[in-house]
Amino acid sequence: MNYKFDTSDLTRRLKRTFDGNLSYRKLFLVLFIVAVFLLYIGPSFLRWLFGQSEPTKDQTMRCMDDRLTPFYLQNLEYNVNIRHQNPFPHEYDAIPYVGNGWFGLEVEHSAHLNIFRGRALLQPVNFHPIVSVASADNIFREATVVEYLSGIVHRFQCFADGYYASYQYYAHRTIPSVFVQELQLTNTKNQLMDIELIVPRISDWPSAVVTNIKLQHGSTILEYQVVSGAVDVPPTAGSKEQAQVRLVSIVSRKLPRVITLKKRGTTKLELLLTINYSEPVGHDKMAAYKDVVEKQAIDAMNRALAAAEYGEHGAYNSFKRDHIRAWNALWETGFHISTSKAENTLNGNNINATMYAVVSHARAFEYEQSVTAVRKDEIARSLTYAEGCYDSYHTLQADNLWRQMSSFEEHNALVASWMLTLEKQGCHNLIKAGASGIVQAMVLSFGGFRFSNQHLELNIHPKYLHRDYDFRRLNYGNKTHLNVSIAVRDDNKAILSVALDRSDRNYYACDAGCLDDPIQLRQSKLTFPVKLTEPVTSILYITSDRKHMEDLRHAIHIQEVRVAPAHQPAVIALHKHGHHLGGLPTLFWVSICVIIIVFHVFLCKLIVKEYCEPPDKMRYRYSKP
């Protein structure tokens, strides 16, 4: 039997299907088909209809993705910060910076060196050490990755001409006068390629004098330039001292401006730079100091070349590992806060970036090769004596200490603000200990921890404990480390946990008011309730003197003590989900409301039809055939 397709018959069938008898099942099926079409077929159909091809990544974007892929997971954990040359909306906009307390600089092709002045690396030296591929007239992409745990900044450039450059920069921690640049230039084309380099240079430094020397690196003789000059030191406010200068000497390798890349190959350069400078001196002593400072810079370069010399035992890798080990040791004391989705809220990316910036302006004396044993003993004593630190409100609530660092000026201003705050709030002894002490002081300030007369107290109001906090390896004396955690339970109440990381004696703890007997701490976690007292006092006390703790209950003088009330569910939901509506997004609730409204519209339509249509039509519709 042959069937003939009839358009009018199909039209009548469709009309009959939708003519007033559309069931909810049919309506749901139609809506489902339309949704599937729009979501999965619609975009491809529209591109085909309007002749648009599917967007593809250009060569430089694919190249950059390949370079950054190893860092994406660490970026989610806030251990690194990825920043494109024009920062993407989701990226934390902080400049890439390397420093070790002796010198520092922003990782940018025109950046200048900075040396110590006042409380941080705030004295500019108009020498630009960054070696980079010249990008004039080239289409390229650029991004940087700051590795907080290793103190290394990675920089990537991908060029449309078919080559890319990978850089690593670090200010060496154990040999603080050394700045290291590692360049890897990769040519993906099957032809030789000449590229132009931006080499170290001077700008606006009238007193600078340049001389050339030759130094031996293994079996190779390399040519270096020595730049020496004076840098004016601005007098402090209100000071009547005469103007002073610092004598600065920089030794860097001389490089050709054009380098040839081999076919489908990689060219590597490991470049060292040393910088040395004097204490502020009068103009009349410049000549006496110039030769001394210059000789020290050259000697430092010879030592660095010997330490970084390649050999069968991988000396260069050891040279780099020493730097990474020192940075890793600095981060043994640390802080973790649960991520909040609320707008304009402090999170781990901001905290880690700020800590890295501040620590980059301080020397790690105990890890430096040139520091004597006597000096290291002094540092150890400074770390064990933290009386009075930190004597103020907890810094997580101080907005001025968490400003943006999207420019070099903002970076320096924020570091100077932190140094001043820690010094004036009783942490001067820890600051004298260098980077390790500053890390300790910053972590103490995050929770309002305070060392006071034979005990450590946690002085933070319970109303701020609506997120999870972890304070890791707080230094209590030379041989004791504490771990303190604050967690918000399912009932929205906070609870304290304390454990000894290591100890040389017995330690005891009590909660707010110390009305209960002291509890001896162990390496496993012990929990304490968060209590609120009237008047408000610290919520936790820790000491090695049990008698001292028993006496505290008679010295705190509180009128009332009770378990701190639970936080409002809306506040917890705001931090966990970014809104007050709980775990489901706003779009879900809007969709539910729309569905309810649509359902009631159809229900009303059905009721109106049933009760308002003429009786004859109703009889016709439901009569038997």
Side-chain angles (χ1 to χ4, degrees), residues 340-347 350 396 399 404 467 575:
S340 171
K341 295 183 180 180
E343 292 185 4
N344 302 319
T345 303
L346 188 64
N347 275 316
N350 196 341
L396 294 181
D399 293 339
Q404 288 290 323
R467 297 169 68 182
H575 287 292

Side-chain angles (χ1 to χ4, degrees), residues 28 588-602:
F28 175 78
F588 172 82
W589 297 106
V590 172
S591 302
I592 292 296
C593 292
V594 170
I595 291 173
I596 293 173
I597 293 172
V598 171
F599 170 77
H600 282 85
V601 168
F602 275 97

Side-chain angles (χ1 to χ4, degrees), residues 420-462:
L420 178 63
T421 300
L422 294 176
E423 179 184 320
K424 299 305 180 183
Q425 298 299 337
C427 301
H428 47 278
N429 283 311
L430 291 179
I431 292 176
K432 290 178 183 177
S436 298
I438 289 173
V439 170
Q440 286 283 337
M442 292 185 75
V443 174
L444 290 174
S445 75
F446 297 160
F449 282 95
R450 180 172 58 197
F451 283 97
S452 175
N453 190 22
Q454 299 179 332
H455 68 260
L456 172 66
E457 57 187 73
L458 176 53
N459 187 24
I460 185 172
H461 198 287

Side-chain angles (χ1 to χ4, degrees), residues 1-6:
M1 181 180 296
N2 295 326
Y3 290 96
K4 184 177 181 182
F5 179 76
D6 192 350

